[in-house]
Amino acid sequence: MSNVEQTLSIIKPDAVERNLENEIKEIFKNNGFIILEEKKIQIEKLEAEKFYKVHETKPFYNDLCAYLSSGPIVVMVLEKENAVLENRKLMGATNPKDAEEGTIRKKYGISIDKNSVHGSDSVENARIEIDFFFKD
Ligand code: CMP
C-alpha cells in the first residue's frame, strides 16, 4: 500500500552561506523527493524560538534559535513515499561526526549546530512544521 507523505526540510544558514542550496536540492531530487514548495527567507529570532519550541528546555535552545535566524535559509516541502523517515535517513545523524557516509550531514555538516539541514522527526511534526512556514 502506498504511503506518500510530506515533510519539512530546511537548508540552514551554514549551507546557504556556502552556496550549497542547489547541490542539496539535487540530492533530494535524485533520491526521489519532489519539492512541492520552497522559499528562501530569513526569520527573526522570535520566530525561530516558536519553530524550535519543543527544544525550549534544552541548554542549546538559545544558540540554536540565534543560529537559525542568523542568515537566509531555504524551507521546502518534500514529498515521497515514507518521506519523513526517508528524509531523516538521507540527512544522517544530527551530529555530522556520527553521520554515515553518503548522507547530507556527513558530506556538508560542520558541527552539531551547523549541520546544514533540518527535517521533521515525525508525520505529526511534519504537518505542524509545514503549516508553520507555508500556511497563509
Ligand atoms: P535539527 O534537526 O534542526 O533540530 C534541532 C537542532 O538542535 C539540531 O538539528 C542541532 O542542529 C541542534 N543541536 C545543538 N545541540 C544539540 C544537541 N546536543 N542535541 C541535539 N540537537 C542539538
Side-chain angles (χ1 to χ4, degrees):
M1 218 170 62
S2 99
N3 183 43
V4 175
E5 294 172 350
Q6 295 175 0
T7 191
L8 185 89
S9 170
I10 303 178
I11 304 178
K12 294 188 180 185
D14 66 275
V16 175
E17 190 177 74
R18 287 176 288 153
N19 290 315
L20 296 171
E21 177 186 339
N22 288 334
E23 240 176 276
I24 291 175
K25 282 197 252 176
E26 281 308 303
I27 294 176
F28 286 125
K29 290 187 219 164
N30 291 338
N31 281 273
F33 288 90
I34 297 166
I35 302 174
L36 290 182
E37 309 229 38
E38 63 173 284
K39 59 184 177 184
K40 190 186 231 173
I41 52 174
Q42 181 159 1
I43 60 172
E44 299 288 339
K45 184 159 182 261
L46 269 176
E47 284 181 272
E49 287 169 1
K50 276 190 222 155
F51 179 74
Y52 276 132
K53 197 160 174 40
V54 290
H55 294 300
E56 73 182 330
T57 58
K58 311 269 173 62
F60 55 83
Y61 179 63
N62 187 56
D63 286 350
L64 172 63
C65 297
Y67 170 62
L68 194 73
S69 56
S70 68
I73 57 175
V74 178
V75 289
M76 298 174 287
V77 178
L78 303 181
E79 184 174 89
K80 189 186 171 175
E81 187 88 2
N82 303 315
V84 172
L85 184 64
E86 290 296 309
N87 181 36
R88 292 183 70 74
K89 282 200 255 172
L90 186 57
M91 287 192 301
T94 306
N95 192 337
K97 274 195 235 157
D98 303 327
E100 282 181 33
E101 270 323 313
T103 63
I104 295 174
R105 285 167 170 164
K106 174 73 181 182
K107 192 161 184 201
Y108 302 115
I110 295 168
S111 65
I112 193 161
D113 302 296
K114 297 184 173 183
N115 61 356
S116 302
V117 280
H118 166 85
S120 310
D121 66 359
S122 66
V123 173
E124 191 194 353
N125 281 337
R127 181 49 34 222
I128 294 168
E129 293 184 353
I130 289 168
D131 282 352
F132 185 91
F133 284 110
F134 291 99
K135 203 170 182 176
D136 30 41

